[in-house]
């Protein structure tokens, strides 16, 4: 019993890689699984006016939390309304294609003429590995509101 539980907890990344819905079970007991091996930090979104046009700027850091290198396949960003509905999705580069153990990189992207109804931005790693964050810093993922509206 105890040995099986220990092996299951130690191998939870492998379990979630094979059975993706298992990540919810591990998260429910306080042991979230991060297959990407990276965290988003200090993610901030801001609307500004440049040459008479509204521009949504999103910046942040991507941190490799593994003891080995992690591949980055770009970013997918989603502008969402107050109800959480996706209004617009776009992609951006992650600043680098690979992060060494413990390394950090920054990202910066802009969207011209963002949807007026947008209230937050969801930032995720592009497939195959996904780690999701929302704008503004918090513990692991961050949640934020668009400023400058």
């Amino acid at each position: 019993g105890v040995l099986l539980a220990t092996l299951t907890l130690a191998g939870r990344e492998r379990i979630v890689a094979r059975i993706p819905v298992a990540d919810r079970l591990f998260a429910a007991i306080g042991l979230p699984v991060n297959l990407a091996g990276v965290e988003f930090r200090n993610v901030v979104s801001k609307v500004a006016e440049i040459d008479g046009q509204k521009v949504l700027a999103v910046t942040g850091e991507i941190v490799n939390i593994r003891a080995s290198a992690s591949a980055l396949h770009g970013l997918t960003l989603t502008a969402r309304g107050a109800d959480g509905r996706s209004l617009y999705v776009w992609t951006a580069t992650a600043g680098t294609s690979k992060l060494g153990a413990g390394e950090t990189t920054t990202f910066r992207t802009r969207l011209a003429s963002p949807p007026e109804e947008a209230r937050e931005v969801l930032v995720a790693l592009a497939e195959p590995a996904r780690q999701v964050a929302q704008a503004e810093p918090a513990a692991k993922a961050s949640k934020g509101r668009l400023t400058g509206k």
Side-chain angles (χ1 to χ4, degrees):
V2 173
L3 179 59
L4 179 60
T6 302
L7 290 174
T8 300
L9 293 178
R12 64 185 194 266
E13 279 190 10
R14 280 179 278 168
I15 292 169
V16 171
R18 291 176 189 240
I19 309 168
V21 296
D23 68 340
R24 293 183 194 141
L25 297 173
F26 286 114
I29 62 170
L31 297 168
V33 177
N34 182 335
L35 291 180
V38 299
E39 289 181 352
F40 289 94
R41 296 183 185 163
N42 302 317
V43 178
V44 178
S45 59
K46 184 176 184 177
V47 175
E49 195 163 311
I50 300 174
D51 296 329
Q53 182 179 23
K54 285 189 178 182
V55 175
L56 169 61
V58 183
T59 60
E61 300 173 337
I62 305 170
V63 181
N64 182 0
I65 59 172
R66 286 191 175 147
S68 59
S70 288
L72 301 178
H73 300 280
L75 303 173
T76 300
L77 297 96
T78 306
R80 300 193 319 179
D83 60 358
R85 186 173 43 93
S86 295
L87 302 172
Y88 189 84
V89 178
W90 74 103
T91 60
T93 62
T96 185
S97 61
K98 186 173 162 183
L99 278 178
E103 285 186 338
T104 299
T105 189
T106 59
F107 69 89
R108 180 177 321 236
T109 185
R110 290 183 178 181
L111 175 64
S113 303
E116 285 293 325
E117 310 83 33
R119 295 296 174 262
E120 63 185 17
V121 177
L122 185 74
V123 182
L125 287 180
E127 298 296 340
R130 280 177 61 111
Q131 174 66 23
V132 178
Q134 291 176 331
E136 286 187 6
K140 285 191 177 183
S142 3
K143 179 151 187 140
R145 304 290 171 223
L146 297 183
T147 58
K149 290 230 150 225

